[in-house]
Amino acid sequence: MERSPRTVAQAGEDAVLTAILEVITPHNDAVAEQHGQALAVGPGNDDAAVLAFTARPSSGNTQPTAEVVLTTDTMSEGQDFRRQWWLGPGSTSVAHEPAEEWPMDVGTKAAAQNLSDISAMGAVPTALLVSLTLPADIPVDWVGGFFRGMVRACRAEGAERCVIAGGDLGSGDTISVTLTALGQAEGTPVLRRSGAQPGDILAVAGPLGRAAAGFELLEHSSAPGHSTVRSAEQEQLWERHSELIRDCRAAQQRPDPPLTAGPVAASQGATAAMDISDGLIRDAGRLASAAGVSLRLDDAVLEAEAAQLEPIAALLGRDAQAARGWVLAGGEEYALLATFAAGVGLPEGFRRIGEVLEHRDGVPRVITEHAVSAGGWSSL
Amino acid sequence: MERSPRTVAQAGEDAVLTAILEVITPHNDAVAEQHGQALAVGPGNDDAAVLAFTARPSSGNTQPTAEVVLTTDTMSEGQDFRRQWWLGPGSTSVAHEPAEEWPMDVGTKAAAQNLSDISAMGAVPTALLVSLTLPADIPVDWVGGFFRGMVRACRAEGAERCVIAGGDLGSGDTISVTLTALGQAEGTPVLRRSGAQPGDILAVAGPLGRAAAGFELLEHSSAPGHSTVRSAEQEQLWERHSELIRDCRAAQQRPDPPLTAGPVAASQGATAAMDISDGLIRDAGRLASAAGVSLRLDDAVLEAEAAQLEPIAALLGRDAQAARGWVLAGGEEYALLATFAAGVGLPEGFRRIGEVLEHRDGVPRVITEHAVSAGGWSSL
């Protein structure tokens, strides 16, 4: 590999991933060749990896194996959440009795985003491991609340079998949480991005755009100098949309992904799946690339979904284009994107948002009539 | 749980762990009862957790399962390493071509400390997952070097079957690395801390005190204002002990734990094992507590090990007591502590450092003649 003076910020996430794969793919290939320890699904393409573990007792000539689905993800204060979302503008120090919701929600979100990756592989989550880095001034109660939040995520439909297997505590300048989730597909093959076929229906389970709208609502109301004094007319508007506002904030602060959707999709013959963590357009592009297909989005359907969020855009002084951006490019959504053969009927909870086409000129594309200004969320 | 206004720093690691277990143990118990998904080894006591995964094909009436050993650990810049250790005093910005050794060593150490936990359970590591948090100004080459360091750790004896299964990239203010390691015991039960029996021999594989001596050497030579100008006499002393100095620094920067020691101990009937990550006295205390025994250290043996490090103490202007502290309380050693029934003979690579006694008055103790000033290393 040529030495590159570029920083990770200059190079961008895809170039960094390429540099990583250049190192680990030859290693993994060598292990597979020399020790027969092959990854069923390796790094680079899917929401999680899959590795086979040998089991006992063996049955005659065949050595039974358990295929374990694995994923890991980090959430950091300042990058992924701000304590002001819960504590209000200007809060930088930890109160002696911090709002119970803050650690609960962080625990729930950290768990949910990892559980969502397991579900996106068509698998059922069975264990979480956690590594928690905490500043010295965090109250012990915060830690208890964080773990109660993880337990709440494990009690959601589809995660009932998930235990919290262990972890690690460390100190640092900011709160940082890394979770690892493990799971297993039950009686179905794991779902991969690469399985989408031209002619398939593109479908989604779970809301689109709400977490992004929630992010802007939270940033708005926790901004320094934010005032809650509103005109009677403004107040009436906020009041009229209070349920939607609550839903959007909740989608950002404590997401509740459709965890049964992945296993249900797998059992009903889905050809591919992935969760939407970096925005619909960007993640659909990854699915298209993995499968070597193009995806045409149904603009009318997505337009209707965006229209539902226009009141939030208006409250924030934004136009309809903002709502469209949330639906098409909003990150941390954890909705499940999946493809199904046409004519088989979509499982409950899924709705059609487009179709799979053969790619043209060898270039997988996501086709939509709308220009999207933001390119979705990237972690680097 | 009563609300506590204490911070994690005031409460200390053990109290925080207790608060965590109060939340997750009832959850894990409920999952075991309602879904039969029980942890073979749960959080709180051992170096890693153990969880059974069901396998296919099943063999007649018995459902084969694979017992997977799991652990996770975080390393952060400023807490666990300083870039000045590689780049020299005063280096705070990243050079365009940073010393290749820096990322390589960080990758090796992050992997080694997780692989050591798997070995300490008597298991063989089979996969690593990594979550990497990087400041924007880190060069792409650093990332490649980090993964080459992980590959180097996987090529060490005992880790040859370990693949790098996947990971996650994120941005943050400081470099932070969380690894998760998975493994399996091969034909032996996993080794637990609780199995030590009165009458057993206490043994160790791997050096003691070198990582702690290395830490002080690195801090010494990377301190602001550090001068490499020495008198001829001093220079001669540093030169005479250059090999030991190199070994100690390497033990801190890129540890090479005895990864085969755990599986070998398990196959030769060890009754208990754990790795030494927080200092011999402190970790021996944990083993004693888990097993409900006391441990008497062989002071003459440990004194002899400390004597080997006295030249390093002298170079740093410290006395013999410092060398004793490194051996008895030095953290991040990743030596393997194990107990064996008396009379069976120790496996190759192990040496006797004490014995297991019945505890007195119901209080497990670590008995040594030496007062130890530092209580070992705690992550909180």
Side-chain angles (χ1 to χ4, degrees):
Chain A
M1 197 175 66
E2 221 176 295
R3 286 189 74 82
S4 156
R6 290 180 308 166
T7 66
V8 291
Q10 289 161 351
E13 188 175 13
D14 288 346
V16 178
L17 284 174
T18 301
I20 294 171
L21 290 173
E22 277 176 19
V23 176
I24 65 178
T25 305
H27 168 71
N28 290 342
D29 289 349
V31 173
E33 195 179 314
Q34 290 160 26
H35 303 279
Q37 180 81 13
L39 282 157
V41 176
N45 264 325
D46 286 281
D47 290 65
V50 182
L51 187 65
F53 288 82
T54 55
R56 284 188 299 267
S58 63
S59 58
N61 293 329
T62 44
Q63 176 65 57
T65 60
E67 286 212 324
V68 178
V69 181
L70 317 165
T71 185
T72 189
D73 212 351
T74 295
M75 255 176 74
S76 302
E77 182 171 10
Q79 296 289 334
D80 301 290
F81 64 88
R82 252 186 270 280
R83 62 182 70 183
Q84 288 80 6
W85 290 358
W86 292 269
L87 307 178
S91 297
T92 53
S93 74
V94 179
H96 275 306
E97 299 201 12
E100 169 86 352
E101 289 75 21
W102 173 33
M104 280 276 284
D105 286 357
V106 173
T108 298
K109 183 168 180 174
Q113 67 184 9
N114 279 281
L115 299 174
S116 178
D117 282 331
I118 299 292
S119 166
M121 301 295 288
V124 173
T126 55
L128 287 169
L129 284 175
V130 54
S131 189
L132 197 52
T133 300
L134 296 172
D137 68 347
I138 290 290
V140 177
D141 283 343
W142 194 97
V143 183
F146 172 84
F147 278 89
R148 281 193 292 281
M150 281 184 61
V151 167
R152 176 170 65 182
C154 291
R155 287 189 182 147
E157 200 185 349
E160 301 91 342
R161 282 180 46 204
C162 191
V163 295
I164 300 169
D168 170 57
L169 280 173
S171 54
D173 294 335
T174 48
I175 300 172
S176 180
V177 184
T178 301
L179 263 62
T180 300
L182 294 91
Q184 277 199 290
E186 297 193 323
T188 61
V190 293
L191 282 175
R192 310 221 23 203
R193 296 178 187 171
S194 55
Q197 297 288 332
D200 285 355
I201 288 169
L202 181 68
V204 74
L208 288 174
R210 299 207 164 194
F215 177 84
E216 291 209 19
L217 282 164
L218 289 162
E219 289 288 273
H220 172 80
S221 60
S222 66
H226 170 73
S227 160
T228 52
V229 180
R230 298 184 185 116
S231 70
E233 194 191 357
Q234 284 176 315
E235 194 57 51
Q236 215 173 19
L237 275 174
W238 282 83
E239 186 56 40
R240 189 189 305 160
H241 299 292
S242 61
E243 197 176 326
L244 182 60
I245 291 167
R246 218 169 27 239
D247 284 356
C248 290
R249 283 183 173 150
Q252 176 61 233
Q253 288 178 298
R254 48 182 172 280
D256 183 20
L259 297 178
T260 57
V264 164
S267 70
Q268 303 212 11
T271 51
M274 72 181 294
D275 80 342
I276 299 175
S277 46
D278 292 335
L280 172 60
I281 297 274
R282 187 166 168 178
D283 284 329
R286 289 173 172 155
L287 191 144
S289 291
V293 297
S294 285
L295 300 172
R296 186 201 303 278
L297 301 183
D298 187 327
D299 292 308
V301 168
L302 295 170
E303 191 67 33
E305 303 217 359
Q308 294 171 27
L309 295 175
E310 280 177 21
I312 305 290
L315 289 174
L316 296 170
R318 310 282 304 276
D319 61 13
Q321 183 64 19
R324 211 173 277 145
W326 295 336
V327 167
L328 292 174
E332 302 182 277
E333 201 62 66
Y334 310 119
L336 189 75
L337 193 65
T339 55
F340 297 88
V344 300
L346 296 179
E348 202 185 318
F350 282 89
R351 60 194 188 280
R352 184 187 182 285
I353 60 160
E355 61 190 322
V356 183
L357 306 176
E358 285 190 32
H359 60 72
R360 290 176 296 185
D361 329 323
V363 183
R365 282 189 182 82
V366 178
I367 303 157
T368 167
E369 281 171 18
H370 294 292
V372 179
S373 52
W377 302 86
S378 173
S379 54
L380 266 177
Chain B
M1 197 177 65
E2 221 177 294
R3 286 188 74 80
S4 156
R6 289 181 307 167
T7 66
V8 291
Q10 287 160 351
E13 187 175 15
D14 288 347
V16 178
L17 284 175
T18 301
I20 293 172
L21 290 173
E22 277 176 19
V23 176
I24 65 178
T25 304
H27 167 72
N28 289 343
D29 289 348
V31 173
E33 195 177 314
Q34 290 160 27
H35 303 281
Q37 179 82 12
L39 281 158
V41 176
N45 265 326
D46 286 281
D47 290 64
V50 182
L51 187 66
F53 287 83
T54 55
R56 283 189 300 269
S58 63
S59 58
N61 293 327
T62 42
Q63 176 66 58
T65 59
E67 286 211 326
V68 178
V69 181
L70 315 165
T71 186
T72 189
D73 212 350
T74 295
M75 255 175 73
S76 302
E77 182 172 11
Q79 296 289 333
D80 301 290
F81 63 89
R82 251 186 270 283
R83 63 182 70 183
Q84 287 80 8
W85 290 357
W86 292 269
L87 307 180
S91 296
T92 54
S93 74
V94 179
H96 276 304
E97 298 202 11
E100 168 87 352
E101 291 73 22
W102 173 31
M104 280 277 284
D105 286 356
V106 172
T108 297
K109 183 168 180 174
Q113 66 183 11
N114 279 281
L115 299 174
S116 177
D117 282 331
I118 299 294
S119 166
M121 302 295 287
V124 173
T126 55
L128 288 169
L129 283 173
V130 54
S131 189
L132 197 53
T133 300
L134 296 172
D137 67 349
I138 291 290
V140 177
D141 283 343
W142 195 98
V143 184
F146 172 84
F147 279 88
R148 280 193 293 280
M150 282 184 61
V151 167
R152 176 171 64 182
C154 291
R155 287 189 183 147
E157 202 187 349
E160 300 92 341
R161 281 180 47 203
C162 192
V163 294
I164 301 171
D168 171 56
L169 280 173
S171 54
D173 293 335
T174 48
I175 300 172
S176 179
V177 183
T178 301
L179 263 62
T180 299
L182 293 91
Q184 277 199 291
E186 298 192 323
T188 61
V190 293
L191 282 176
R192 309 216 31 197
R193 296 178 187 171
S194 55
Q197 298 288 333
D200 286 355
I201 289 169
L202 181 68
V204 75
L208 288 174
R210 301 210 162 192
F215 177 85
E216 292 208 21
L217 282 164
L218 289 161
E219 288 288 272
H220 173 79
S221 59
S222 65
H226 170 74
S227 161
T228 50
V229 181
R230 299 184 185 115
S231 70
E233 195 190 357
Q234 283 176 316
E235 193 56 50
Q236 215 174 19
L237 275 174
W238 282 83
E239 187 55 40
R240 187 188 310 158
H241 299 291
S242 60
E243 198 177 328
L244 183 59
I245 291 167
R246 218 169 26 239
D247 284 357
C248 290
R249 284 184 171 149
Q252 176 62 234
Q253 289 179 299
R254 47 182 174 280
D256 183 20
L259 297 178
T260 57
V264 163
S267 70
Q268 304 212 11
T271 52
M274 73 180 295
D275 79 343
I276 299 175
S277 45
D278 293 334
L280 171 61
I281 297 274
R282 187 165 168 179
D283 284 328
R286 290 174 173 154
L287 191 144
S289 291
V293 297
S294 284
L295 300 173
R296 186 201 303 278
L297 301 184
D298 188 327
D299 291 310
V301 168
L302 295 170
E303 192 68 33
E305 304 218 358
Q308 294 173 26
L309 296 175
E310 279 177 22
I312 304 290
L315 288 175
L316 296 169
R318 310 279 307 275
D319 61 12
Q321 183 64 19
R324 211 172 278 144
W326 295 335
V327 167
L328 292 173
E332 303 181 277
E333 201 62 63
Y334 311 119
L336 189 75
L337 193 64
T339 56
F340 296 88
V344 300
L346 296 179
E348 201 186 319
F350 282 89
R351 61 196 186 276
R352 185 187 181 286
I353 60 159
E355 60 188 323
V356 183
L357 306 176
E358 285 191 32
H359 60 73
R360 291 175 296 185
D361 330 321
V363 184
R365 283 189 182 83
V366 178
I367 303 157
T368 167
E369 280 171 19
H370 294 292
V372 179
S373 53
W377 302 85
S378 172
S379 53
L380 267 175

